[in-house]
Structures are given as C-alpha cells and as structure tokens.
Amino acid sequence: MDLSRDAALAADVTDPLAGFRARFTGTDDDGPDRLLYLDGNSLGRLPRETPAAVARVVEQEWGTGLVGSWRDWVEQSRRIGDELAAGVLGARPGEVLISDTTSVDLYKLLVAAVDARPGRDVLICCADDFPTDRYIVAGVADSRGLTVREVEAHIDTGLDLAVLARALDERVAVVVLSQVAYRSGALVDVAEVTRLAREAGALVVWDLSHGAGAVPADLTAAGADLAVGCTYKHLNGGPGAPAFLYVRRELQEQLRQPIWGWFGQHDQFAMGPAYEPAEGVDRFAVGTPPVLAMAAVEVGVRLTAEARIERIAAKAQALTGLVIELADAWLAEHGVTVASPRDAARRGAHVSLAHPAAWQLTQALIERGVVPDFRTPDRLRLGPAPLYTRFVDVWDAMDRLRTVLSDRSYESHPVERSRVT
C-alpha cells in the first residue's frame, strides 16, 4: 500500500463524499497548521445549514407563529424519526422516534421489554460496554429483583458471539448490547445476535450510538427488536441533541413503557383522567419535545441520508484502515499497538491505539492541533468522520503523532488525566 502523502491526496480527489466537507464549519483552512479534528465519534462538526435552520424556528415559528406552530411541532419527533429510519437505519416508517436522551430511551425500552418477558429473571449486558448502558441495566435489575449476567468481551476485538450464545438460556429476558464498542470500535453482527437471542426467547435492545450515521444498521433486514442511539456523534445534531428510539412494528402494541407522559397518551389534548397509550411508536414518547434542538437534528439526519450510509461506511473503513496502516508503519517502533479489529468488516468508524502514555499523547496532540480523545486504561481514540474528514487529514494527524512520539515532547504533559476527558 502506498502510504505517501501524495497517495492520500489522490484518494481525496476520487472520494465520492468529498463535496460534503464544505457543508460543515471549520473546514476552510487548508494550511499546514490547520486543526485536524478526529473526534467526530464523540461530537460531530456543525453543519453550515444548522444555524439558519434553528434561527428559522426561533424567529419565524416561535417568534411569529407562537403557539400556533405546535400544529407542526407536535409531529416533529415522528417526522424526523421517519427520515432517520429510511435514510440511515434501514427501518420502516412509524418505527423510529426522536425522544429524550439515549439513557432515558434505553431505560424505557428495557423496562418495557422486561415486562414483555414475565417469568424470566436475567438481563444480559457486556462487561466492556459503555458505562451508562451497564448502569441502567444494573438499576433496572436492582429495582425488579433480577440478575445481571455480564458477558466478557475482549477490550480490543470485542464480543465473541460464542460467549454470548453460552450465556443465553430460558431465564434471559433481555439482552442489551452496543453495535459498535465505544472503546475499540469493534462491530457486532446485529442480525446474528438477534437470531441467537430469539432462539432463546429473549429480546435485544441495541445501543447504536457509536455507529448511527457511520455504520449501516439495517434494522428491518436484521429483524432487530429494539434500539436506541444518540444524534450528536456521526449524525451531527449538536451537543446534548435528543436521542432516538426504534421499536419493531410488530412489537409496538405488546409493549408499554414505564414513563407515562402526555405525549405518549392516546388523545393527549383530551386531558383525560387516565393514561391510555397512543398507537404505534408514539406510545414511547414522554413529554414535550425539545423543538429547537430537533431542528438541528433534522439537518444532520438529512445530510447523512443524502450522502448515503453505504458510501459513508465504505469511507469509514478506508479512513480507519489508513490509520492502522500508518500506525503499523510509523508508530510500532515507539510502542504503539493497534487496539481495534484489523478486519474492516469487524470495525466501526473509529480506531484505538494503545500506548502506556496515551493520556500524555492525547494532550500533546491537542497542543499540536490534532483533536483525538482518550479512553481508559491507555487508549488514544481516533474518529475520522467520513462526511468531513479527508484522507490527507488522517495522514497529517498521524504524522504529527509520529513527531510527538519521536521527539518525546508528550513527556512534558502530566501523567495523570484530569476529570474532564
């Protein structure tokens, strides 16, 4: 493989997604000292269309339309959900809702799923999954008198499906798993896990947060039951943007979520004395949706759908593949090892590099104009978002990392990480 900078530039020339970069802020500078943003898997860049979209809601719909704008706003969660379903998640109309936060959505769907499997007393989650997921599983188990069965996963290569299969039995009610491991980027086969769980009589709640907008989910084809995910990473909805939930159409009338809010009521404006859940996916709504924030989410969803998820995923594999090739060629002699799956089909849209001084390297890179992030215990995580990251950006970022390792300038940074990472 040609690892020259010229080869990276040539890859950018033929990149079918190249035109999307200009549609994000902060991408105009092409100078040698430009900021190289490789943390799109934590917070996506700001689309240029977003400020105007939010301003339109503020100035026209709120400022002029006032309460009359609720005629449109009341349908916003489902409308954007349908756009996300069709353009990104491979789901059907009426199966996706923009709602609450990922944590709240996970709680709602997990409790609903547990109640749909009476007589079963075990919840399964992954021991290396994102903390919120594990905490919510533990909390639900504690409140319901259930047992949590944590399956082990390799910190770098992810979950072995044979291990999961051995953990599944007639006691398991629900399995909670992430499609993409937050630390390593290891990818799990949604269809195969769904099949294994269904054979055992269990439901699966998927967390798509680290894959949505960068990795195909194909929820309908996979037969997925339930899913949640955030919109501020690869979907570029902005910090704290509302999350989404997915409920397979055939399950919707069987499930009742635990937070009985008025937006999930059958006839919310009747203001009736008793709660009666709405039909379809609307029954998983709770309270008044964050209208301003959802305007930003809609821009990100439409950009992603326009780019097409299969093209985004292909570029993600190529960008992360370049990270791995350069790490092997340049960084191995400095003690850096690849801590993510090498098989592109087993990898999401980010790569982790292991080094004993990963925290110091992270700080040194930020000082040099490269934005990665750090994950315990000793992982430098690089997330080159396909919609706005070029191959030459990856090349230049890895070159700066090579320099930081060669001149050992990272050693001047504190060994201990701060509370804010």
mmCIF file of all heavy atoms in Angstrom, residues 349-390:
data_model
loop_
_atom_site.group_PDB
_atom_site.id
_atom_site.type_symbol
_atom_site.label_atom_id
_atom_site.label_comp_id
_atom_site.label_asym_id
_atom_site.label_seq_id
_atom_site.Cartn_x
_atom_site.Cartn_y
_atom_site.Cartn_z
ATOM 1 N N ALA A 349 -16.338 3.046 12.923
ATOM 2 C CA ALA A 349 -15.737 4.220 12.289
ATOM 3 C C ALA A 349 -14.688 4.899 13.151
ATOM 4 O O ALA A 349 -14.374 6.067 12.943
ATOM 5 C CB ALA A 349 -16.827 5.213 11.914
ATOM 6 N N HIS A 350 -14.146 4.186 14.148
ATOM 7 C CA HIS A 350 -13.025 4.749 14.896
ATOM 8 C C HIS A 350 -12.020 3.658 15.232
ATOM 9 O O HIS A 350 -12.329 2.467 15.166
ATOM 10 C CB HIS A 350 -13.482 5.487 16.160
ATOM 11 C CG HIS A 350 -14.110 4.616 17.215
ATOM 12 N ND1 HIS A 350 -15.473 4.412 17.316
ATOM 13 C CD2 HIS A 350 -13.561 3.925 18.240
ATOM 14 C CE1 HIS A 350 -15.731 3.634 18.344
ATOM 15 N NE2 HIS A 350 -14.583 3.316 18.925
ATOM 16 N N VAL A 351 -10.807 4.101 15.538
ATOM 17 C CA VAL A 351 -9.696 3.201 15.840
ATOM 18 C C VAL A 351 -9.069 3.634 17.152
ATOM 19 O O VAL A 351 -8.896 4.827 17.415
ATOM 20 C CB VAL A 351 -8.624 3.228 14.729
ATOM 21 C CG1 VAL A 351 -7.376 2.449 15.145
ATOM 22 C CG2 VAL A 351 -9.181 2.655 13.436
ATOM 23 N N SER A 352 -8.706 2.653 17.980
ATOM 24 C CA SER A 352 -7.977 2.934 19.208
ATOM 25 C C SER A 352 -6.537 2.448 19.071
ATOM 26 O O SER A 352 -6.283 1.371 18.516
ATOM 27 C CB SER A 352 -8.635 2.241 20.405
ATOM 28 O OG SER A 352 -9.817 2.909 20.780
ATOM 29 N N LEU A 353 -5.632 3.272 19.567
ATOM 30 C CA LEU A 353 -4.221 2.926 19.619
ATOM 31 C C LEU A 353 -3.810 2.832 21.081
ATOM 32 O O LEU A 353 -4.121 3.727 21.877
ATOM 33 C CB LEU A 353 -3.374 3.984 18.901
ATOM 34 C CG LEU A 353 -3.731 4.242 17.437
ATOM 35 C CD1 LEU A 353 -2.873 5.375 16.881
ATOM 36 C CD2 LEU A 353 -3.562 2.985 16.595
ATOM 37 N N ALA A 354 -3.128 1.765 21.428
ATOM 38 C CA ALA A 354 -2.715 1.561 22.811
ATOM 39 C C ALA A 354 -1.271 1.999 23.008
ATOM 40 O O ALA A 354 -0.398 1.697 22.188
ATOM 41 C CB ALA A 354 -2.870 0.093 23.201
ATOM 42 N N HIS A 355 -1.030 2.714 24.109
ATOM 43 C CA HIS A 355 0.323 3.128 24.492
ATOM 44 C C HIS A 355 0.283 3.466 25.977
ATOM 45 O O HIS A 355 -0.682 4.061 26.452
ATOM 46 C CB HIS A 355 0.772 4.347 23.683
ATOM 47 C CG HIS A 355 2.213 4.700 23.873
ATOM 48 N ND1 HIS A 355 2.661 5.459 24.944
ATOM 49 C CD2 HIS A 355 3.315 4.387 23.136
ATOM 50 C CE1 HIS A 355 3.979 5.605 24.852
ATOM 51 N NE2 HIS A 355 4.390 4.963 23.762
ATOM 52 N N PRO A 356 1.321 3.105 26.743
ATOM 53 C CA PRO A 356 1.309 3.386 28.184
ATOM 54 C C PRO A 356 1.122 4.861 28.513
ATOM 55 O O PRO A 356 0.586 5.201 29.574
ATOM 56 C CB PRO A 356 2.684 2.887 28.651
ATOM 57 C CG PRO A 356 3.086 1.865 27.637
ATOM 58 C CD PRO A 356 2.522 2.342 26.335
ATOM 59 N N ALA A 357 1.549 5.745 27.608
ATOM 60 C CA ALA A 357 1.424 7.188 27.840
ATOM 61 C C ALA A 357 0.306 7.788 27.000
ATOM 62 O O ALA A 357 0.390 8.941 26.564
ATOM 63 C CB ALA A 357 2.751 7.879 27.549
ATOM 64 N N ALA A 358 -0.774 7.042 26.792
ATOM 65 C CA ALA A 358 -1.848 7.503 25.912
ATOM 66 C C ALA A 358 -2.450 8.829 26.377
ATOM 67 O O ALA A 358 -2.784 9.671 25.546
ATOM 68 C CB ALA A 358 -2.932 6.426 25.814
ATOM 69 N N TRP A 359 -2.584 9.019 27.678
ATOM 70 C CA TRP A 359 -3.143 10.283 28.159
ATOM 71 C C TRP A 359 -2.229 11.454 27.800
ATOM 72 O O TRP A 359 -2.689 12.498 27.318
ATOM 73 C CB TRP A 359 -3.362 10.233 29.667
ATOM 74 C CG TRP A 359 -3.711 11.563 30.254
ATOM 75 C CD1 TRP A 359 -2.936 12.348 31.057
ATOM 76 C CD2 TRP A 359 -4.923 12.299 30.054
ATOM 77 N NE1 TRP A 359 -3.580 13.518 31.374
ATOM 78 C CE2 TRP A 359 -4.807 13.510 30.768
ATOM 79 C CE3 TRP A 359 -6.097 12.049 29.337
ATOM 80 C CZ2 TRP A 359 -5.821 14.470 30.793
ATOM 81 C CZ3 TRP A 359 -7.103 13.006 29.357
ATOM 82 C CH2 TRP A 359 -6.958 14.192 30.075
ATOM 83 N N GLN A 360 -0.933 11.277 28.002
ATOM 84 C CA GLN A 360 0.011 12.338 27.664
ATOM 85 C C GLN A 360 0.039 12.580 26.155
ATOM 86 O O GLN A 360 0.111 13.731 25.701
ATOM 87 C CB GLN A 360 1.418 11.964 28.156
ATOM 88 C CG GLN A 360 1.558 11.946 29.675
ATOM 89 C CD GLN A 360 2.882 11.330 30.108
ATOM 90 O OE1 GLN A 360 3.060 10.118 29.989
ATOM 91 N NE2 GLN A 360 3.787 12.159 30.577
ATOM 92 N N LEU A 361 -0.037 11.516 25.383
ATOM 93 C CA LEU A 361 -0.058 11.666 23.928
ATOM 94 C C LEU A 361 -1.299 12.439 23.475
ATOM 95 O O LEU A 361 -1.220 13.271 22.560
ATOM 96 C CB LEU A 361 -0.033 10.285 23.257
ATOM 97 C CG LEU A 361 1.300 9.539 23.304
ATOM 98 C CD1 LEU A 361 1.108 8.107 22.828
ATOM 99 C CD2 LEU A 361 2.352 10.252 22.452
ATOM 100 N N THR A 362 -2.425 12.180 24.112
ATOM 101 C CA THR A 362 -3.645 12.899 23.770
ATOM 102 C C THR A 362 -3.467 14.392 23.976
ATOM 103 O O THR A 362 -3.816 15.209 23.112
ATOM 104 C CB THR A 362 -4.823 12.383 24.618
ATOM 105 O OG1 THR A 362 -4.993 10.980 24.390
ATOM 106 C CG2 THR A 362 -6.110 13.110 24.264
ATOM 107 N N GLN A 363 -2.899 14.766 25.116
ATOM 108 C CA GLN A 363 -2.705 16.186 25.417
ATOM 109 C C GLN A 363 -1.675 16.822 24.481
ATOM 110 O O GLN A 363 -1.828 17.972 24.039
ATOM 111 C CB GLN A 363 -2.272 16.361 26.872
ATOM 112 C CG GLN A 363 -3.215 15.732 27.885
ATOM 113 C CD GLN A 363 -4.675 16.042 27.595
ATOM 114 O OE1 GLN A 363 -5.067 17.209 27.531
ATOM 115 N NE2 GLN A 363 -5.475 14.999 27.424
ATOM 116 N N ALA A 364 -0.632 16.063 24.159
ATOM 117 C CA ALA A 364 0.390 16.591 23.247
ATOM 118 C C ALA A 364 -0.170 16.810 21.849
ATOM 119 O O ALA A 364 0.171 17.786 21.168
ATOM 120 C CB ALA A 364 1.584 15.634 23.196
ATOM 121 N N LEU A 365 -1.042 15.903 21.407
ATOM 122 C CA LEU A 365 -1.663 16.063 20.098
ATOM 123 C C LEU A 365 -2.574 17.286 20.059
ATOM 124 O O LEU A 365 -2.580 18.039 19.078
ATOM 125 C CB LEU A 365 -2.452 14.810 19.727
ATOM 126 C CG LEU A 365 -1.658 13.640 19.151
ATOM 127 C CD1 LEU A 365 -2.580 12.451 18.906
ATOM 128 C CD2 LEU A 365 -0.950 14.029 17.863
ATOM 129 N N ILE A 366 -3.348 17.475 21.104
ATOM 130 C CA ILE A 366 -4.222 18.647 21.157
ATOM 131 C C ILE A 366 -3.389 19.920 21.065
ATOM 132 O O ILE A 366 -3.749 20.872 20.356
ATOM 133 C CB ILE A 366 -5.073 18.624 22.442
ATOM 134 C CG1 ILE A 366 -6.081 17.470 22.383
ATOM 135 C CG2 ILE A 366 -5.794 19.953 22.648
ATOM 136 C CD1 ILE A 366 -6.824 17.215 23.669
ATOM 137 N N GLU A 367 -2.255 19.927 21.737
ATOM 138 C CA GLU A 367 -1.350 21.085 21.681
ATOM 139 C C GLU A 367 -0.815 21.296 20.265
ATOM 140 O O GLU A 367 -0.542 22.439 19.856
ATOM 141 C CB GLU A 367 -0.192 20.859 22.658
ATOM 142 C CG GLU A 367 0.730 22.044 22.840
ATOM 143 C CD GLU A 367 1.782 21.762 23.894
ATOM 144 O OE1 GLU A 367 2.740 21.018 23.597
ATOM 145 O OE2 GLU A 367 1.635 22.267 25.019
ATOM 146 N N ARG A 368 -0.714 20.225 19.508
ATOM 147 C CA ARG A 368 -0.211 20.297 18.127
ATOM 148 C C ARG A 368 -1.331 20.476 17.104
ATOM 149 O O ARG A 368 -1.104 20.382 15.901
ATOM 150 C CB ARG A 368 0.565 19.030 17.783
ATOM 151 C CG ARG A 368 1.788 18.768 18.649
ATOM 152 C CD ARG A 368 3.035 19.315 18.018
ATOM 153 N NE ARG A 368 4.213 19.026 18.829
ATOM 154 C CZ ARG A 368 5.371 18.617 18.365
ATOM 155 N NH1 ARG A 368 5.520 18.439 17.057
ATOM 156 N NH2 ARG A 368 6.394 18.388 19.156
ATOM 157 N N GLY A 369 -2.550 20.703 17.561
ATOM 158 C CA GLY A 369 -3.649 20.947 16.630
ATOM 159 C C GLY A 369 -4.341 19.720 16.107
ATOM 160 O O GLY A 369 -4.979 19.767 15.049
ATOM 161 N N VAL A 370 -4.253 18.605 16.833
ATOM 162 C CA VAL A 370 -4.982 17.388 16.485
ATOM 163 C C VAL A 370 -5.936 17.083 17.635
ATOM 164 O O VAL A 370 -5.517 17.067 18.791
ATOM 165 C CB VAL A 370 -4.045 16.185 16.263
ATOM 166 C CG1 VAL A 370 -4.855 14.932 15.914
ATOM 167 C CG2 VAL A 370 -3.035 16.486 15.172
ATOM 168 N N VAL A 371 -7.212 16.848 17.334
ATOM 169 C CA VAL A 371 -8.187 16.567 18.387
ATOM 170 C C VAL A 371 -8.605 15.098 18.315
ATOM 171 O O VAL A 371 -9.411 14.714 17.462
ATOM 172 C CB VAL A 371 -9.423 17.471 18.259
ATOM 173 C CG1 VAL A 371 -10.402 17.195 19.410
ATOM 174 C CG2 VAL A 371 -9.014 18.936 18.260
ATOM 175 N N PRO A 372 -8.039 14.255 19.191
ATOM 176 C CA PRO A 372 -8.500 12.877 19.375
ATOM 177 C C PRO A 372 -9.248 12.815 20.702
ATOM 178 O O PRO A 372 -9.685 13.848 21.202
ATOM 179 C CB PRO A 372 -7.176 12.115 19.463
ATOM 180 C CG PRO A 372 -6.287 13.081 20.221
ATOM 181 C CD PRO A 372 -6.782 14.496 19.947
ATOM 182 N N ASP A 373 -9.401 11.648 21.278
ATOM 183 C CA ASP A 373 -9.788 11.567 22.678
ATOM 184 C C ASP A 373 -9.131 10.363 23.332
ATOM 185 O O ASP A 373 -8.489 9.540 22.675
ATOM 186 C CB ASP A 373 -11.311 11.593 22.875
ATOM 187 C CG ASP A 373 -12.026 10.385 22.301
ATOM 188 O OD1 ASP A 373 -11.363 9.440 21.847
ATOM 189 O OD2 ASP A 373 -13.274 10.380 22.308
ATOM 190 N N PHE A 374 -9.259 10.305 24.651
ATOM 191 C CA PHE A 374 -8.618 9.279 25.463
ATOM 192 C C PHE A 374 -9.682 8.389 26.077
ATOM 193 O O PHE A 374 -10.731 8.867 26.493
ATOM 194 C CB PHE A 374 -7.796 9.954 26.566
ATOM 195 C CG PHE A 374 -7.290 9.000 27.620
ATOM 196 C CD1 PHE A 374 -6.146 8.251 27.416
ATOM 197 C CD2 PHE A 374 -7.971 8.863 28.826
ATOM 198 C CE1 PHE A 374 -5.690 7.376 28.385
ATOM 199 C CE2 PHE A 374 -7.530 7.988 29.806
ATOM 200 C CZ PHE A 374 -6.380 7.245 29.586
ATOM 201 N N ARG A 375 -9.388 7.091 26.131
ATOM 202 C CA ARG A 375 -10.239 6.166 26.852
ATOM 203 C C ARG A 375 -9.365 5.250 27.706
ATOM 204 O O ARG A 375 -8.285 4.824 27.282
ATOM 205 C CB ARG A 375 -11.098 5.326 25.881
ATOM 206 C CG ARG A 375 -12.232 6.128 25.232
ATOM 207 C CD ARG A 375 -13.266 6.564 26.239
ATOM 208 N NE ARG A 375 -14.325 7.384 25.666
ATOM 209 C CZ ARG A 375 -14.351 8.708 25.675
ATOM 210 N NH1 ARG A 375 -13.343 9.391 26.213
ATOM 211 N NH2 ARG A 375 -15.376 9.372 25.168
ATOM 212 N N THR A 376 -9.866 4.994 28.907
ATOM 213 C CA THR A 376 -9.122 4.137 29.820
ATOM 214 C C THR A 376 -8.974 2.734 29.228
ATOM 215 O O THR A 376 -9.822 2.306 28.431
ATOM 216 C CB THR A 376 -9.862 4.035 31.166
ATOM 217 O OG1 THR A 376 -11.184 3.536 30.929
ATOM 218 C CG2 THR A 376 -9.933 5.392 31.854
ATOM 219 N N PRO A 377 -7.940 1.980 29.594
ATOM 220 C CA PRO A 377 -6.879 2.399 30.506
ATOM 221 C C PRO A 377 -5.748 3.171 29.833
ATOM 222 O O PRO A 377 -5.119 4.007 30.452
ATOM 223 C CB PRO A 377 -6.379 1.073 31.057
ATOM 224 C CG PRO A 377 -6.573 0.113 29.913
ATOM 225 C CD PRO A 377 -7.836 0.549 29.233
ATOM 226 N N ASP A 378 -5.499 2.898 28.573
ATOM 227 C CA ASP A 378 -4.332 3.500 27.903
ATOM 228 C C ASP A 378 -4.577 3.595 26.397
ATOM 229 O O ASP A 378 -3.747 3.220 25.589
ATOM 230 C CB ASP A 378 -3.064 2.677 28.177
ATOM 231 C CG ASP A 378 -3.181 1.230 27.762
ATOM 232 O OD1 ASP A 378 -4.248 0.837 27.236
ATOM 233 O OD2 ASP A 378 -2.210 0.470 27.952
ATOM 234 N N ARG A 379 -5.753 4.127 26.033
ATOM 235 C CA ARG A 379 -6.163 4.136 24.633
ATOM 236 C C ARG A 379 -6.278 5.559 24.095
ATOM 237 O O ARG A 379 -6.943 6.414 24.698
ATOM 238 C CB ARG A 379 -7.525 3.438 24.452
ATOM 239 C CG ARG A 379 -7.559 1.968 24.888
ATOM 240 C CD ARG A 379 -6.562 1.131 24.106
ATOM 241 N NE ARG A 379 -6.817 -0.281 24.194
ATOM 242 C CZ ARG A 379 -6.210 -1.116 25.026
ATOM 243 N NH1 ARG A 379 -5.301 -0.644 25.879
ATOM 244 N NH2 ARG A 379 -6.470 -2.397 25.018
ATOM 245 N N LEU A 380 -5.649 5.780 22.956
ATOM 246 C CA LEU A 380 -5.808 7.007 22.178
ATOM 247 C C LEU A 380 -6.803 6.680 21.078
ATOM 248 O O LEU A 380 -6.549 5.811 20.235
ATOM 249 C CB LEU A 380 -4.461 7.432 21.594
ATOM 250 C CG LEU A 380 -4.450 8.626 20.646
ATOM 251 C CD1 LEU A 380 -4.739 9.911 21.410
ATOM 252 C CD2 LEU A 380 -3.112 8.724 19.935
ATOM 253 N N ARG A 381 -7.950 7.358 21.063
ATOM 254 C CA ARG A 381 -9.023 7.000 20.144
ATOM 255 C C ARG A 381 -9.128 8.037 19.033
ATOM 256 O O ARG A 381 -9.191 9.241 19.291
ATOM 257 C CB ARG A 381 -10.347 6.898 20.915
ATOM 258 C CG ARG A 381 -11.444 6.158 20.181
ATOM 259 C CD ARG A 381 -12.655 5.953 21.068
ATOM 260 N NE ARG A 381 -13.320 7.221 21.395
ATOM 261 C CZ ARG A 381 -14.586 7.322 21.787
ATOM 262 N NH1 ARG A 381 -15.319 6.233 21.921
ATOM 263 N NH2 ARG A 381 -15.120 8.492 22.065
ATOM 264 N N LEU A 382 -9.169 7.562 17.788
ATOM 265 C CA LEU A 382 -9.217 8.427 16.620
ATOM 266 C C LEU A 382 -10.481 8.133 15.818
ATOM 267 O O LEU A 382 -10.694 7.007 15.372
ATOM 268 C CB LEU A 382 -7.985 8.203 15.739
ATOM 269 C CG LEU A 382 -6.625 8.386 16.434
ATOM 270 C CD1 LEU A 382 -5.499 8.004 15.493
ATOM 271 C CD2 LEU A 382 -6.454 9.825 16.907
ATOM 272 N N GLY A 383 -11.311 9.185 15.644
ATOM 273 C CA GLY A 383 -12.580 9.012 14.936
ATOM 274 C C GLY A 383 -12.674 9.931 13.730
ATOM 275 O O GLY A 383 -13.213 11.032 13.815
ATOM 276 N N PRO A 384 -12.148 9.505 12.592
ATOM 277 C CA PRO A 384 -12.210 10.343 11.374
ATOM 278 C C PRO A 384 -13.583 10.258 10.714
ATOM 279 O O PRO A 384 -13.873 9.335 9.961
ATOM 280 C CB PRO A 384 -11.127 9.727 10.486
ATOM 281 C CG PRO A 384 -11.068 8.278 10.901
ATOM 282 C CD PRO A 384 -11.415 8.241 12.363
ATOM 283 N N ALA A 385 -14.437 11.218 10.998
ATOM 284 C CA ALA A 385 -15.813 11.190 10.479
ATOM 285 C C ALA A 385 -15.816 11.323 8.963
ATOM 286 O O ALA A 385 -15.293 12.296 8.416
ATOM 287 C CB ALA A 385 -16.621 12.311 11.117
ATOM 288 N N PRO A 386 -16.424 10.386 8.246
ATOM 289 C CA PRO A 386 -16.319 10.356 6.780
ATOM 290 C C PRO A 386 -16.895 11.554 6.040
ATOM 291 O O PRO A 386 -16.437 11.877 4.947
ATOM 292 C CB PRO A 386 -17.075 9.078 6.407
ATOM 293 C CG PRO A 386 -16.997 8.218 7.616
ATOM 294 C CD PRO A 386 -17.063 9.166 8.770
ATOM 295 N N LEU A 387 -17.899 12.226 6.605
ATOM 296 C CA LEU A 387 -18.518 13.329 5.874
ATOM 297 C C LEU A 387 -17.619 14.541 5.742
ATOM 298 O O LEU A 387 -17.790 15.344 4.814
ATOM 299 C CB LEU A 387 -19.834 13.743 6.544
ATOM 300 C CG LEU A 387 -21.022 12.807 6.335
ATOM 301 C CD1 LEU A 387 -22.253 13.365 7.022
ATOM 302 C CD2 LEU A 387 -21.304 12.595 4.851
ATOM 303 N N TYR A 388 -16.668 14.723 6.646
ATOM 304 C CA TYR A 388 -15.830 15.925 6.563
ATOM 305 C C TYR A 388 -14.343 15.679 6.797
ATOM 306 O O TYR A 388 -13.545 16.605 6.711
ATOM 307 C CB TYR A 388 -16.322 17.005 7.544
ATOM 308 C CG TYR A 388 -16.569 16.508 8.952
ATOM 309 C CD1 TYR A 388 -15.535 16.278 9.842
ATOM 310 C CD2 TYR A 388 -17.873 16.278 9.395
ATOM 311 C CE1 TYR A 388 -15.774 15.837 11.126
ATOM 312 C CE2 TYR A 388 -18.127 15.833 10.679
ATOM 313 C CZ TYR A 388 -17.069 15.612 11.545
ATOM 314 O OH TYR A 388 -17.313 15.164 12.819
ATOM 315 N N THR A 389 -13.939 14.456 7.071
ATOM 316 C CA THR A 389 -12.521 14.150 7.254
ATOM 317 C C THR A 389 -11.936 13.616 5.956
ATOM 318 O O THR A 389 -12.489 12.695 5.347
ATOM 319 C CB THR A 389 -12.311 13.112 8.361
ATOM 320 O OG1 THR A 389 -12.952 13.564 9.555
ATOM 321 C CG2 THR A 389 -10.824 12.910 8.634
ATOM 322 N N ARG A 390 -10.815 14.192 5.538
ATOM 323 C CA ARG A 390 -10.148 13.751 4.314
ATOM 324 C C ARG A 390 -9.043 12.747 4.647
ATOM 325 O O ARG A 390 -8.583 12.651 5.785
ATOM 326 C CB ARG A 390 -9.540 14.952 3.593
ATOM 327 C CG ARG A 390 -10.557 15.988 3.155
ATOM 328 C CD ARG A 390 -9.897 17.225 2.583
ATOM 329 N NE ARG A 390 -9.029 17.886 3.552
ATOM 330 C CZ ARG A 390 -8.436 19.063 3.367
ATOM 331 N NH1 ARG A 390 -8.605 19.710 2.233
ATOM 332 N NH2 ARG A 390 -7.677 19.584 4.305
#
